[in-house]
Amino acid sequence: MTLAPNVYDAEPIPEAARAEIDRMLQSGDLFRYTAPENAPVTLLEREFAEVMGSRYALAASSCSAVLFLSLKALGLKSGARVLIPAFTFAAVPSSVVHADCVPVLCEVGENYRIDIDDFATRLEDRIDAVIVSHMRGHTSDMDAIMALCAARGIPVIEDAAHSLGTTWAGRKIGTIGRVGCFSFQSYKLVNAGEGGIMITDDPDLVARAVIMSGAYEHNWAKHMTEDDAALKAAFAHWQNKLPLYNLRMGNLSAAIIRPQLGEVARRVRDGRANHDYVAARLNTSPWLQVPNKLPREERAPDSIQFNLVGLSDDDTNAFAEAAAARGIKVQVFGMSTDNARAFWNWGFLPEAPGDLPRTRAMLMRACDVRLPARLTRDELDFVAEALTRAAGDVMGEARAYGT
Ligand SMILES: *Cc1c(COP(=O)(O)O)cnc(C)c1O
């Protein structure tokens, strides 16, 4: 019999990281600006930009840090209003508050994606910038969002923290907005414990972000790879004019991340196959429903989300207990008092988010289960079996409709 899989442990870090870390332990060369050139953080930025097909990349201490730097680099004034989806991680509105801006929330539908009608309505409410949070790697309709924002000249930041490897209409997520931000925190596709990176094609924006990330004095010169007149002019212009927030990444993190970039394609392929296999099994239960992806989206999941259908609050709690008894921990986003993905727990918001009934209803029945790419078929069967049977424990075994 297969035991309940451990869905929390990350994969081992590739062996190649070890030699590089050993070298650093010998030399003590841990700061990105000590070496005259080719520091591990600089190499990571180059490699990541190349993989994504972007002009520039800036690594930092977290995705929250690069979201914050993106907002500051856009030059948003104090009190600027930033539209974000109401279904996201608390770090996103927090980065907006950190940048001295005001988060404005829009509705998210039961497929976990931005409700475009509500987004369009709220965009009229003095919005200065948008953060599209691709929560749990679910991509909202980027064609509609980009068209609405372009028509009003509103910049779009993509929070692709959990979307490395996802594409929309063949384009890499994170390259569609003005800036794309990714996380290397341990629960994301590439694990450095902590870390983040932003990508953009905009030389002025990246120059501002580089300086504010902590490239004091002439350290910005170490971000120049070739003769880039526009970037050089931007650095010269912003020198000494911006605060230094010191959100840099250290060389040890970069050494752990770089050899994992070669693992991304496999993790995406296996994660997608695992997800789709379990999704098909969950959808055989009348009580469980995995929403379809949008047609233009190719996903890179490392977890699965599904909705409980026809269950009351009590049934929902009973389902989570039954699943736990069968060895699988299910988180219902809206059902705990402190879940950081439930907007009503964001007591730090400067402006009350108002009523968001669609998002609230979704969060009360939406379940979250981790499903890392390394799971075996037997382990996936264990997860699917535990979840469908837990629903049966609470609601009765599935019967064919219409008979
Ligand atoms: C993890 C995550 C973040 C925050 O990333 P950190 O690197 O931990 O700051 C932001 N947004 C989403 C959607 C995330 O999943």
Side-chain angles (χ1 to χ4, degrees):
M1 200 191 91
T2 313
L3 295 175
N6 177 332
V7 295
Y8 292 98
D9 288 359
E11 288 184 23
I13 305 302
E15 193 56 32
R18 201 177 295 270
E20 181 70 353
I21 290 169
D22 258 349
R23 184 190 68 76
M24 283 184 219
L25 297 183
Q26 282 295 324
S27 64
D29 178 16
L30 304 178
F31 180 51
R32 68 166 297 167
Y33 293 132
T34 302
E37 57 186 7
N38 295 338
V41 181
T42 307
L43 296 177
L44 166 65
E45 289 168 344
R46 255 181 242 163
E47 289 158 1
F48 197 83
E50 164 114 30
V51 167
M52 299 304 291
S54 302
R55 253 173 107 180
Y56 308 111
L58 169 66
S61 51
S62 68
C63 182
S64 301
V66 285
L67 287 170
F68 163 77
L69 288 171
S70 300
L71 293 164
K72 297 303 275 185
L74 284 170
L76 296 174
K77 298 277 179 307
S78 171
R81 295 162 64 77
V82 180
L83 188 59
I84 66 171
F87 176 44
T88 185
F89 187 54
V92 176
S94 302
S95 71
V96 177
V97 170
H98 189 190
D100 205 18
C101 299
V102 178
V104 178
L105 276 47
C106 77
E107 289 267 41
V108 170
E110 60 182 26
N111 67 351
Y112 321 128
R113 287 152 178 97
I114 289 171
D115 176 327
I116 297 297
D117 288 341
D118 191 63
F119 179 87
T121 304
R122 292 187 200 250
L123 208 54
E124 301 298 336
D125 188 16
R126 296 168 289 130
I127 295 301
D128 299 292
V130 165
I131 298 180
V132 177
S133 201
H134 304 297
M135 184 58 171
R136 287 289 188 270
H138 298 287
T139 310
S140 298
D141 183 343
M142 290 304 289
D143 296 341
I145 289 169
M146 295 309 293
L148 286 163
C149 292
R152 290 158 186 79
I154 296 173
V156 174
I157 298 169
E158 285 184 81
D159 167 21
H162 215 150
S163 285
L164 186 57
T166 304
T167 60
W168 173 264
R171 293 175 69 185
K172 294 190 167 74
I173 282 300
T175 65
I176 299 172
R178 179 90 69 88
V179 195
C181 298
F182 298 84
S183 175
F184 300 123
Q185 185 267 343
S186 287
Y187 292 155
K188 314 299 160 108
L189 203 75
V190 169
N191 162 31
E194 302 282 2
I197 197 163
M198 62 189 266
I199 53 173
T200 183
D201 289 336
D202 181 334
D204 198 66
L205 189 146
V206 82
R208 288 170 57 88
V210 162
I211 292 173
M212 287 190 277
S213 77
Y216 58 92
E217 298 165 356
H218 267 60
N219 281 315
W220 53 257
K222 294 179 180 173
H223 291 260
M224 306 273 308
T225 45
E226 61 204 72
D227 226 15
D228 184 334
L231 184 60
K232 199 167 184 184
F235 280 132
H237 177 76
W238 292 112
Q239 173 93 61
N240 296 344
K241 293 199 184 76
L242 297 168
L244 306 167
Y245 294 107
N246 282 8
L247 300 166
R248 295 174 299 252
M249 177 181 279
N251 283 340
L252 276 174
S253 300
I256 289 169
I257 294 163
R258 289 180 59 216
Q260 290 183 65
L261 295 183
E263 307 291 316
V264 168
R266 173 187 55 80
R267 290 178 189 172
V268 169
R269 187 187 63 228
D270 293 353
R272 186 183 297 161
N274 288 356
H275 173 278
D276 293 352
Y277 178 75
V278 172
R281 291 205 51 186
L282 299 191
N283 279 333
T284 63
S285 164
W287 318 114
L288 309 179
Q289 189 240 343
V290 183
N292 287 328
K293 71 177 185 70
L294 298 185
R296 311 201 86 185
E297 175 189 11
E298 290 303 333
R299 304 197 60 228
D302 59 6
S303 63
I304 191 164
Q305 289 73 45
F306 56 94
N307 295 323
L308 301 175
V309 181
L311 278 73
S312 67
D313 282 357
D314 285 347
D315 296 336
T316 298
N317 286 326
F319 167 76
E321 276 169 33
R326 290 178 174 279
I328 296 301
K329 195 172 171 303
V330 175
Q331 177 171 250
V332 185
F333 291 108
M335 281 304 225
S336 71
T337 52
D338 58 358
N339 194 299
R341 299 148 203 91
F343 63 86
W344 54 88
N345 289 333
W346 303 339
F348 55 85
L349 293 180
E351 195 175 280
D355 213 18
L356 292 148
R358 286 199 69 188
T359 311
R360 181 181 289 271
M362 177 274 285
L363 290 168
M364 296 306 280
R365 293 295 176 271
C367 300
D368 191 25
V369 173
R370 285 178 52 77
L371 210 59
R374 62 176 165 71
L375 294 193
T376 63
R377 189 50 69 97
D378 281 351
E379 290 174 324
L380 299 173
D381 283 331
F382 186 101
V383 173
E385 191 84 2
L387 294 173
T388 50
R389 285 187 186 256
D393 293 344
V394 175
M395 302 302 287
E397 278 310 322
R399 280 182 300 272
Y401 288 115
T403 57

